[in-house]
Amino acid sequence: MTTEAPPPISWADFEKVQLCAGTVLRVEDFPEARKPAWKLWVDFGPHGVRKTSAQVKALYAAEDLVGRQIVGVINFPPKQVGPFISEFLLTGFPTDDGVVITTLEREVPNGTRLA
């Protein structure tokens, strides 16, 4: 099966997306979520601590996430997810087993922007 490639974007389009590194500070269960999810609080350095909900419980225990550096999109508007406000989008890759979170292979300062 062949899929059609999406149209190209400009460098200016890419620059609009703020993909930044952050360190997971805290993880809590999110029992109100429709699908199994965690609530995460992430330190994005100069951009502050932001929270999100993430359906990554299938592959990650809470203790496996705390202290890990992740990549998040920090310039989407806040989104209401049940009783919780999500302030950034945690990035990852969907697989048959669950979402694999985008992480860093070496530590960088929190808030560093993907280039």
Side-chain angles (χ1 to χ4, degrees):
M1 181 172 139
T2 306
T3 58
E4 193 173 317
I9 64 170
S10 70
W11 183 255
D13 291 332
F14 176 71
E15 286 181 316
K16 292 176 186 175
V17 182
Q18 273 195 290
L19 287 154
C20 295
T23 300
V24 178
L25 300 176
R26 186 169 106 213
V27 178
E28 292 182 6
D29 195 22
F30 191 7
E32 303 89 354
R34 279 185 248 154
K35 295 181 180 177
W38 294 120
K39 295 178 188 176
L40 283 76
W41 283 260
V42 176
D43 179 2
F44 286 103
H47 308 291
V49 173
R50 298 185 185 206
K51 61 187 179 183
T52 195
S53 66
Q55 296 174 355
V56 296
K57 282 182 110 174
L59 296 180
Y60 301 94
E63 58 271 13
D64 295 332
L65 294 171
V66 174
R68 183 175 280 199
Q69 267 198 320
I70 58 84
V71 177
V73 177
I74 64 167
N75 64 328
F76 281 132
K79 180 179 179 182
Q80 186 81 44
V81 181
F84 189 74
I85 303 274
S86 184
E87 300 172 328
F88 77 95
L89 173 70
L90 179 66
T91 62
F93 299 90
T95 71
D96 290 341
D97 297 325
V99 175
V100 176
I101 295 172
T102 309
T103 61
L104 282 78
E105 125 357 88
R106 293 185 191 180
E107 191 172 319
V108 299
N110 287 332
T112 300
R113 192 165 174 184
L114 182 75

